[in-house]
Amino acid sequence: RKAADALARAMHLKKDDPDLKLEYASALVAAGDLDRAEQTITTLPNSETSAQAHALLGEIDEKRADYRDAANHFSRAAALDPTEANAWALGVEFLRHWTFDAAIREFQAGTQKFPDSTRMKLGLATAYFGAGKYGEAIPVFAALLQRDNDNRLYAEMLGMACTSVSSASKHDCSELIAYAKAHSDDPRSATDAATLLLTENADPAQLATGRMLLAQAIRTAPHLSEAQYLMGLQRQQDGDWSGSIANLQAALAADPKLAKAHYRLALAYWRTGHKEKAKIEAALQKRYMLAQQQNLDRRLREITTFVVDARN
């Protein structure tokens, strides 16, 4: 608001300066004065051929929830001035509203045109992830993590992708395991890495690494539901049905709607002779199957929003 006031005074001294008017309009957009910002832009003689004008009009439409017009303005800005910033803004507009296929197209083009742009690669990987194309997302996240090997966001998204695909697509998931070994303070990534090593592996050395990472995750975050669930699963696979109960109960104390933990707890109760408890857990598993998927969708939305906001 103060910037807009100062720029308004400057415009009295230099009335016909289009760049000054665009700066004034930009300040008005940031201040939330959308009507005045739009009016200022539309009075510019070259507004139809100005990429900056279209970019600002896109921001105005976005804030007004006129998403179709926003996308049109961002697209026009990118066509008039194909810079990295304009290409990013257009891709983000699609990403923000979960139009993932369109976002993929824009970010694919952006990564080819701006190969050194980290945020273009992150946008592409996030768009792949949002579209459920986890196999395509994995190598992009892995490359990002290799380049910035302390980045927790990259590790988390790589972990989510790696634990969502078949083994045929997991070659690049080794980056996640290397990260987890080097970051004992990140229990989520340690759990994801342990999941990879323990659930789809027969190599004794890798199984030992998986158990080490899982124990590390539980020591760091004993209330992490996924870690406790995985420990319960491991105990069941080892034949320790009774011992798995405490871990599965801990997982459900942290996340009562974790359907797969209810399922495994039902099996444990059944194997240990607690038939009525098993029936109750089986019913809860059916009840929370949808909620489990909704939790994954919510987490994806949170991460997508974070990517959009943090990289602007």
Side-chain angles (χ1 to χ4, degrees), residues 1-12 14-15 17-44 52 56 60:
R1 176 61 62 186
K2 289 181 179 179
D5 291 342
L7 289 164
R9 291 192 295 272
M11 285 167 53
H12 285 296
K14 201 173 183 181
K15 294 181 179 179
D17 187 335
D19 292 335
L20 189 57
K21 279 192 173 183
L22 284 171
E23 291 296 334
Y24 174 59
S26 180
L28 289 172
V29 171
D33 195 344
L34 303 183
D35 291 342
R36 189 177 298 180
E38 183 178 28
Q39 184 179 11
T40 301
I41 295 167
T42 54
T43 60
L44 287 167
Q52 189 177 352
L56 284 171
I60 291 169

Side-chain angles (χ1 to χ4, degrees), residues 54-111:
H54 280 286
L56 284 171
L57 289 170
E59 289 187 42
I60 291 169
D61 288 331
E62 175 64 31
K63 290 178 182 292
R64 288 173 170 167
D66 295 332
Y67 304 131
R68 184 185 297 274
D69 287 343
N72 288 336
H73 281 300
F74 286 128
S75 179
R76 181 67 174 148
L80 288 167
D81 186 14
T83 61
E84 190 268 357
N86 285 335
W88 167 255
L90 178 57
V92 161
E93 181 61 21
F94 292 127
L95 192 63
R96 181 182 282 120
H97 301 295
W98 286 37
T99 314
F100 293 120
D101 288 341
I104 289 170
R105 288 194 298 271
E106 296 303 326
F107 285 124
Q108 282 177 332
T111 54

